Amino acid sequence: MDLRDVIIIGSGPAGYTAAVYAARAGLRPLCIEGYAAGGQLLLTGRVENFPGWPEGIDGPELIQRMRDQAANAGCEFLMRDVSELDLSGSPFRIRAGKDEFHGRAVIIATGAGSKQLGLSSEVALQNHGVAYCAICDGAFFTDQRVAVVGGGDAAIETALSLSKLAREVYLVHRRDELRASKVMQGYAAARPNIELVTPFTVEQILGEDIGRVTGLRLRHVTTGEEHVRKLEGVFVSIGHTPNTEFFRPWLDLDRAGYLVVEPDSTRTNVPGIFAAGDVHDHVYRQAVTAAGSGCMAALDAERWLAHTANDSTTEVTRWAA
């Protein structure tokens, strides 16, 4: 049996930071990265708000440096997707392809993905005018025209953030009325450079032929009339989907599908299983906060292992409140 002290499922800032801390603690971690290793930083262009990089750094380079640091600390990596799990008790059984591993503790860092519009032009223009995080990428659109696609509170928060930088912000929604709270709608209405564009769907993001966003082709939901709105950036804000469905048989999820952890910790309802990053954080969703919770998960796992060092098995029970 291939028994590890810690197995980390997932990568990105949370998984790789957990790997650094677990390796430095001598826990011989195995990080099962998945085929899409790197997380959302792979979809991020220039990162200018991660501490330690005053000139900024490209998202893919930043995540590669995190991985390199974890490897240098002694973490072993497996670039495969998990195919089978048994989290009924420690040691936990995890299969990836034909290989099976057992972990005394598991850190889940599978993240959450931004929901996309499903357009080929959206995929082609990611990092070339199409973005998903105003805090991360808003500064690149200073004094430009941008659109925010979405109608909930998160979309309005994105529009409000961008309105401080961009010349014009078009809030595009497919229904006549926004889903956002009245308070948030009032904030948006008070900003003179935010324009509500409803009810329209995005048919195409323009600019694929020249490699940068030049506009949107919109279709009116009722009349079917189409028109083009010229702009330089598109922020898609229609929600996130946590990558948690695989864990549903064992772990508690909230109504939105995020893993539930105990307050002030990364502990899930199953002793020995910890959650790090966007897989449980639906509030901040930043690379630096994901990295921080990866550190927390590794420390929590190390302490839990120390407390259970004399136990050969651990039954699934609720942690005491």
Side-chain angles (χ1 to χ4, degrees):
M1 180 174 68
D2 191 343
L3 179 63
R4 309 295 179 109
D5 288 325
V6 175
I7 294 178
I8 300 163
I9 303 176
S11 49
Y16 290 152
T17 302
V20 169
Y21 274 79
R24 288 175 58 84
L27 299 179
R28 304 177 297 113
L30 169 67
C31 180
I32 304 177
E33 303 172 276
Y35 290 116
Q40 295 190 63
L41 277 181
L42 291 179
L43 303 177
T44 304
R46 199 71 177 167
V47 178
E48 295 186 334
N49 57 1
F50 198 90
W53 301 97
E55 305 301 323
I57 182 172
D58 289 340
E61 182 183 356
L62 176 58
I63 201 64
Q64 183 61 50
R65 286 176 175 265
M66 290 182 181
R67 188 185 190 278
D68 291 344
Q69 186 172 0
N72 290 340
C75 181
E76 181 182 344
F77 295 94
L78 182 64
M79 191 176 286
R80 278 190 218 146
D81 290 331
V82 171
S83 55
E84 187 179 342
L85 286 170
D86 182 359
L87 304 182
S88 57
S90 178
F92 306 102
R93 184 176 63 84
I94 300 170
R95 179 177 288 276
K98 296 181 179 179
D99 296 320
E100 183 171 300
F101 306 93
H102 294 77
R104 295 175 59 208
V106 172
I107 295 173
I108 298 173
T110 48
S114 297
K115 292 181 180 179
Q116 300 189 6
L117 300 172
L119 303 172
S120 60
S121 54
E122 174 189 14
V123 175
L125 291 168
Q126 285 173 355
N127 297 331
H128 299 283
V130 173
Y132 301 88
C133 175
I135 295 175
C136 310
D137 300 320
F140 299 116
F141 298 91
T142 299
D143 202 34
Q144 297 185 25
R145 298 165 297 181
V146 300
V148 176
V149 183
D153 281 354
I156 289 190
E157 288 179 0
T158 297
L160 291 170
S161 177
L162 292 170
S163 70
K164 301 173 185 178
L165 302 166
R167 184 182 355 138
E168 297 177 42
V169 179
Y170 309 119
L171 185 58
V172 181
H173 187 48
R174 60 185 177 178
R175 297 187 177 91
D176 283 309
E177 294 186 359
L178 300 176
R179 294 181 291 105
S181 64
K182 296 299 182 182
V183 171
M184 293 298 293
Q185 293 186 46
Y187 290 153
R191 295 287 176 89
N193 62 336
I194 295 180
E195 178 184 343
L196 186 60
V197 183
T198 62
F200 283 92
T201 59
V202 178
E203 297 297 295
Q204 183 183 7
I205 301 174
L206 305 177
E208 190 174 351
D209 55 333
I210 63 173
R212 61 177 174 82
V213 169
T214 60
L216 289 179
R217 182 164 59 85
L218 304 173
R219 182 178 64 83
H220 194 279
V221 171
T222 304
T223 67
E225 179 184 357
E226 293 188 356
H227 80 270
V228 170
R229 176 98 25 150
K230 293 182 178 180
L231 43 79
E232 291 76 42
V234 178
F235 285 78
V236 180
S237 185
I238 56 176
H240 291 78
T241 302
N243 301 316
T244 58
E245 194 61 31
F246 212 35
F247 310 108
R248 186 178 291 275
W250 300 278
L251 303 181
D252 287 346
L253 310 179
D254 67 15
R255 294 178 62 183
Y258 290 87
L259 290 179
V260 175
V261 297
E262 292 186 11
D264 302 319
S265 82
T266 63
R267 297 190 298 263
T268 69
N269 60 288
V270 175
I273 299 182
F274 307 87
D278 291 3
V279 76
H280 77 85
D281 171 23
H282 52 83
V283 178
Y284 300 105
R285 291 195 294 260
Q286 299 298 303
V288 68
T289 54
S293 74
C295 162
M296 293 167 59
L299 294 176
D300 284 346
E302 180 186 4
R303 291 164 183 161
W304 183 81
L305 288 167
H307 290 154
T308 59
N310 296 324
D311 295 336
S312 58
T313 61
T314 302
E315 297 299 325
V316 176
T317 55
R318 300 284 174 175
W319 284 77

